[in-house]
Amino acid sequence: MDWWKDAVIYQIYPRSFQDSNGDGIGDIPGIISRLDHLQELGVGAIWLSPVYRSPNADNGYDISDYREINPEYGTMEDMERLIREAGDRGIRIIMDLVINHTSTDHYWFRQSRDKNSPYADYYYWAHGGADGSLPNNWTGFFGEDCWEFDPERCEYYLHLFAKSQADLNYHNPEVLEEVKDILRFWLRKGVAGFRCDVINILWKDSLASSRKRLALTGSEHYLSLEGTHKILRELREVLDEYGAMTVGETVFVSPQQARDLCGPERKELNMVFSFEHMECDQYFLKWFKRKFRPRVFFECLTRWQKELHWNAVYLENHDQPRSIPRFGSEKYWKESGKLLATLELTLRGTPFLYQGQEIGMLNFDFTRMRQLNDVESKNVEKVLRRFHIPQKLRWKIIKRTSRDNARTPFQWENGPRGGFTDGRPWLGVNHNCETINLAQQEEDPDSIWSWYKALSALRRETGALRRGSFEQLEAGNQVYAYQRTLGEDAYTVVLNFSNRPASAAHRGDVVMSNYGREQFDGQMRPWEAVILKVK
Ligand code: ISL
Ligand code: CA
């Protein structure tokens, strides 16, 4: 039951994982060739970022055919082989379900341009004002207007993300039927579930203008509305026929809203990716960074641990900069990398690791705008220009927050192409590949990779670390400590989030220590992490 509560799930960003044919683009045969790596890590499922046919305006999050594989990534046969070969290793496949929008290249959208077509109402179409104004004053997620004029239909269509990602209209019941068919198509192929992209914004209750806000004006018309809950319950019926799991990416949700989306009695989603802990180091929007204060982070983690019966736990994904420079310390790269691993794998919930996290990959060392690929970074650069933000500041903002920080190719081995490709990689390989790569860490029992493997094994063997309760013991300016308990079995985790030493009052037998300690007297070195067995 609930296999996903015992599993570690691993996210693959297919474009950057492993290229198999030298075109510089990661692909499905490449993933298959690396399944042993994931098995060694003790991964129970892979969440595959989109591999469907797509013109790649947003690297696959703009789908033009839900039933075809993007030829850059391989064929449907390759995909079926991946499901089979992963299955042989006890690894399930979770697909990325992007159903808030499709690419404007999708057949539905192309047909929708004709008002007399059966697809006419698949999207949100609206007239602008007589004065040439847009249909409403909403603003989109990528910092631009969210209406685009289509000369063929002579109307605007809504796009909350990039211009070529048109929002689907769920007021038309046929759209939901289409989605159910897509689910069945993949479930019949043997996928175990879906990660559901921006799933709490599906339902727009009206297209009325609203009070102007610093960002996302109009969002009260679509964030976590009852219409979305209703859609999710309908989808759940299809999913239940196959015993499938879902994890929803849910933007701007409180713990209460998250519970309403994934509480077991709700029959909607199984878990959500919430963002609050990712927002601890920013003011309102990610472009405005503030100093990371561990205490705020701990309090946030504890709140979510307490308020949800179960949830997804993550520190990285393809939209976020890497976690070590953000929540840890590059100076204490190895220590803080292991500490963050300990945190993620001992909190209550299903851990989602992102490719490269297991070897402590860092942010992209790019130096020029043209080294970037991400549509969001490019749009935001334009917006900042429009607001006359000086070049230096623009660069600082983009550099720190660009999603490409997490999208550089996986560093398998030393070398200019990192073992990722024999050709020219679609996005630069980080120059630190010489010192941060899997081959080297495999040789080293003290590496971040070895630590992840050991932690994952410990979690697998230890019921208390998987299903046990969570109790916070301490959340100070630098030390976070908590206990996980199942029956008689209890473990204390103590983490020092600082370049400075600390002392802690917790005691027990050392199970794991990132300083190789055998005994723990409460004196903690920088970025020290210990797991203690409570006597
Ligand atoms: O990345 C973000 C901020 O930088 C988020 O606002 C992000 O756009 C939001 O979490 C939605 O993300 C998902 O949908 C997007 C896609 O670009 C992201 O990669 C995906 O994870 C549109 O499909
Ligand atoms: Ca390739």
mmCIF file with all atom_site columns, all heavy atoms in Angstrom, residues 18-27 72, ligand 2:
data_model
loop_
_atom_site.group_PDB
_atom_site.id
_atom_site.type_symbol
_atom_site.label_atom_id
_atom_site.label_alt_id
_atom_site.label_comp_id
_atom_site.label_asym_id
_atom_site.label_entity_id
_atom_site.label_seq_id
_atom_site.pdbx_PDB_ins_code
_atom_site.Cartn_x
_atom_site.Cartn_y
_atom_site.Cartn_z
_atom_site.occupancy
_atom_site.B_iso_or_equiv
_atom_site.pdbx_formal_charge
_atom_site.auth_seq_id
_atom_site.auth_comp_id
_atom_site.auth_asym_id
_atom_site.auth_atom_id
_atom_site.pdbx_PDB_model_num
ATOM   1  N  N   . GLN A 1 18 ? 21.701 12.349 -20.004 1.00 0.00 ? 18 GLN A N   1
ATOM   2  C  CA  . GLN A 1 18 ? 22.721 11.570 -20.736 1.00 0.00 ? 18 GLN A CA  1
ATOM   3  C  C   . GLN A 1 18 ? 22.354 11.535 -22.217 1.00 0.00 ? 18 GLN A C   1
ATOM   4  O  O   . GLN A 1 18 ? 21.268 11.096 -22.578 1.00 0.00 ? 18 GLN A O   1
ATOM   5  C  CB  . GLN A 1 18 ? 22.796 10.138 -20.197 1.00 0.00 ? 18 GLN A CB  1
ATOM   6  C  CG  . GLN A 1 18 ? 23.752 9.233  -20.949 1.00 0.00 ? 18 GLN A CG  1
ATOM   7  C  CD  . GLN A 1 18 ? 25.213 9.638  -20.771 1.00 0.00 ? 18 GLN A CD  1
ATOM   8  O  OE1 . GLN A 1 18 ? 25.755 9.568  -19.689 1.00 0.00 ? 18 GLN A OE1 1
ATOM   9  N  NE2 . GLN A 1 18 ? 25.856 10.086 -21.853 1.00 0.00 ? 18 GLN A NE2 1
ATOM   10 N  N   . ASP A 1 19 ? 23.291 11.975 -23.047 1.00 0.00 ? 19 ASP A N   1
ATOM   11 C  CA  . ASP A 1 19 ? 23.098 11.909 -24.494 1.00 0.00 ? 19 ASP A CA  1
ATOM   12 C  C   . ASP A 1 19 ? 23.651 10.577 -24.993 1.00 0.00 ? 19 ASP A C   1
ATOM   13 O  O   . ASP A 1 19 ? 24.708 10.129 -24.542 1.00 0.00 ? 19 ASP A O   1
ATOM   14 C  CB  . ASP A 1 19 ? 23.854 13.087 -25.143 1.00 0.00 ? 19 ASP A CB  1
ATOM   15 C  CG  . ASP A 1 19 ? 23.758 13.063 -26.656 1.00 0.00 ? 19 ASP A CG  1
ATOM   16 O  OD1 . ASP A 1 19 ? 22.814 12.451 -27.190 1.00 0.00 ? 19 ASP A OD1 1
ATOM   17 O  OD2 . ASP A 1 19 ? 24.642 13.669 -27.297 1.00 0.00 ? 19 ASP A OD2 1
ATOM   18 N  N   . SER A 1 20 ? 22.939 9.935  -25.922 1.00 0.00 ? 20 SER A N   1
ATOM   19 C  CA  . SER A 1 20 ? 23.431 8.634  -26.400 1.00 0.00 ? 20 SER A CA  1
ATOM   20 C  C   . SER A 1 20 ? 23.921 8.677  -27.841 1.00 0.00 ? 20 SER A C   1
ATOM   21 O  O   . SER A 1 20 ? 24.576 7.756  -28.309 1.00 0.00 ? 20 SER A O   1
ATOM   22 C  CB  . SER A 1 20 ? 22.333 7.571  -26.285 1.00 0.00 ? 20 SER A CB  1
ATOM   23 O  OG  . SER A 1 20 ? 21.333 7.796  -27.264 1.00 0.00 ? 20 SER A OG  1
ATOM   24 N  N   . ASN A 1 21 ? 23.599 9.762  -28.576 1.00 0.00 ? 21 ASN A N   1
ATOM   25 C  CA  . ASN A 1 21 ? 23.927 9.746  -30.010 1.00 0.00 ? 21 ASN A CA  1
ATOM   26 C  C   . ASN A 1 21 ? 24.747 10.944 -30.480 1.00 0.00 ? 21 ASN A C   1
ATOM   27 O  O   . ASN A 1 21 ? 24.835 11.216 -31.674 1.00 0.00 ? 21 ASN A O   1
ATOM   28 C  CB  . ASN A 1 21 ? 22.649 9.621  -30.841 1.00 0.00 ? 21 ASN A CB  1
ATOM   29 C  CG  . ASN A 1 21 ? 21.708 10.800 -30.581 1.00 0.00 ? 21 ASN A CG  1
ATOM   30 O  OD1 . ASN A 1 21 ? 21.981 11.633 -29.711 1.00 0.00 ? 21 ASN A OD1 1
ATOM   31 N  ND2 . ASN A 1 21 ? 20.629 10.870 -31.328 1.00 0.00 ? 21 ASN A ND2 1
ATOM   32 N  N   . GLY A 1 22 ? 25.316 11.672 -29.523 1.00 0.00 ? 22 GLY A N   1
ATOM   33 C  CA  . GLY A 1 22 ? 26.261 12.729 -29.902 1.00 0.00 ? 22 GLY A CA  1
ATOM   34 C  C   . GLY A 1 22 ? 25.641 14.000 -30.455 1.00 0.00 ? 22 GLY A C   1
ATOM   35 O  O   . GLY A 1 22 ? 26.357 14.863 -30.967 1.00 0.00 ? 22 GLY A O   1
ATOM   36 N  N   . ASP A 1 23 ? 24.304 14.152 -30.352 1.00 0.00 ? 23 ASP A N   1
ATOM   37 C  CA  . ASP A 1 23 ? 23.729 15.420 -30.828 1.00 0.00 ? 23 ASP A CA  1
ATOM   38 C  C   . ASP A 1 23 ? 23.707 16.492 -29.733 1.00 0.00 ? 23 ASP A C   1
ATOM   39 O  O   . ASP A 1 23 ? 23.189 17.586 -29.930 1.00 0.00 ? 23 ASP A O   1
ATOM   40 C  CB  . ASP A 1 23 ? 22.321 15.209 -31.411 1.00 0.00 ? 23 ASP A CB  1
ATOM   41 C  CG  . ASP A 1 23 ? 21.313 14.752 -30.353 1.00 0.00 ? 23 ASP A CG  1
ATOM   42 O  OD1 . ASP A 1 23 ? 21.715 14.544 -29.189 1.00 0.00 ? 23 ASP A OD1 1
ATOM   43 O  OD2 . ASP A 1 23 ? 20.129 14.605 -30.694 1.00 0.00 ? 23 ASP A OD2 1
ATOM   44 N  N   . GLY A 1 24 ? 24.263 16.150 -28.564 1.00 0.00 ? 24 GLY A N   1
ATOM   45 C  CA  . GLY A 1 24 ? 24.379 17.147 -27.499 1.00 0.00 ? 24 GLY A CA  1
ATOM   46 C  C   . GLY A 1 24 ? 23.118 17.299 -26.665 1.00 0.00 ? 24 GLY A C   1
ATOM   47 O  O   . GLY A 1 24 ? 23.042 18.168 -25.798 1.00 0.00 ? 24 GLY A O   1
ATOM   48 N  N   . ILE A 1 25 ? 22.136 16.447 -26.937 1.00 0.00 ? 25 ILE A N   1
ATOM   49 C  CA  . ILE A 1 25 ? 20.860 16.521 -26.222 1.00 0.00 ? 25 ILE A CA  1
ATOM   50 C  C   . ILE A 1 25 ? 20.603 15.189 -25.522 1.00 0.00 ? 25 ILE A C   1
ATOM   51 O  O   . ILE A 1 25 ? 20.639 14.131 -26.161 1.00 0.00 ? 25 ILE A O   1
ATOM   52 C  CB  . ILE A 1 25 ? 19.706 16.817 -27.214 1.00 0.00 ? 25 ILE A CB  1
ATOM   53 C  CG1 . ILE A 1 25 ? 19.928 18.182 -27.869 1.00 0.00 ? 25 ILE A CG1 1
ATOM   54 C  CG2 . ILE A 1 25 ? 18.352 16.759 -26.512 1.00 0.00 ? 25 ILE A CG2 1
ATOM   55 C  CD1 . ILE A 1 25 ? 18.970 18.483 -28.996 1.00 0.00 ? 25 ILE A CD1 1
ATOM   56 N  N   . GLY A 1 26 ? 20.365 15.249 -24.246 1.00 0.00 ? 26 GLY A N   1
ATOM   57 C  CA  . GLY A 1 26 ? 20.072 14.025 -23.502 1.00 0.00 ? 26 GLY A CA  1
ATOM   58 C  C   . GLY A 1 26 ? 18.862 13.324 -24.100 1.00 0.00 ? 26 GLY A C   1
ATOM   59 O  O   . GLY A 1 26 ? 18.016 13.959 -24.725 1.00 0.00 ? 26 GLY A O   1
ATOM   60 N  N   . ASP A 1 27 ? 18.767 12.008 -23.926 1.00 0.00 ? 27 ASP A N   1
ATOM   61 C  CA  . ASP A 1 27 ? 17.678 11.273 -24.562 1.00 0.00 ? 27 ASP A CA  1
ATOM   62 C  C   . ASP A 1 27 ? 17.328 10.018 -23.761 1.00 0.00 ? 27 ASP A C   1
ATOM   63 O  O   . ASP A 1 27 ? 17.989 9.682  -22.771 1.00 0.00 ? 27 ASP A O   1
ATOM   64 C  CB  . ASP A 1 27 ? 18.058 10.916 -26.012 1.00 0.00 ? 27 ASP A CB  1
ATOM   65 C  CG  . ASP A 1 27 ? 19.464 10.352 -26.100 1.00 0.00 ? 27 ASP A CG  1
ATOM   66 O  OD1 . ASP A 1 27 ? 19.782 9.439  -25.311 1.00 0.00 ? 27 ASP A OD1 1
ATOM   67 O  OD2 . ASP A 1 27 ? 20.265 10.827 -26.946 1.00 0.00 ? 27 ASP A OD2 1
ATOM   68 N  N   . GLU A 1 72 ? 13.761 14.177 -30.574 1.00 0.00 ? 72 GLU A N   1
ATOM   69 C  CA  . GLU A 1 72 ? 15.095 14.441 -30.005 1.00 0.00 ? 72 GLU A CA  1
ATOM   70 C  C   . GLU A 1 72 ? 15.417 13.453 -28.882 1.00 0.00 ? 72 GLU A C   1
ATOM   71 O  O   . GLU A 1 72 ? 16.569 13.182 -28.592 1.00 0.00 ? 72 GLU A O   1
ATOM   72 C  CB  . GLU A 1 72 ? 15.123 15.837 -29.380 1.00 0.00 ? 72 GLU A CB  1
ATOM   73 C  CG  . GLU A 1 72 ? 15.175 16.972 -30.356 1.00 0.00 ? 72 GLU A CG  1
ATOM   74 C  CD  . GLU A 1 72 ? 15.124 18.309 -29.618 1.00 0.00 ? 72 GLU A CD  1
ATOM   75 O  OE1 . GLU A 1 72 ? 14.457 18.408 -28.573 1.00 0.00 ? 72 GLU A OE1 1
ATOM   76 O  OE2 . GLU A 1 72 ? 15.768 19.245 -30.115 1.00 0.00 ? 72 GLU A OE2 1
HETATM 77 CA CA  . CA  B 2 .  ? 20.755 12.750 -28.031 1.00 0.00 ? 2  CA  B CA  1
#
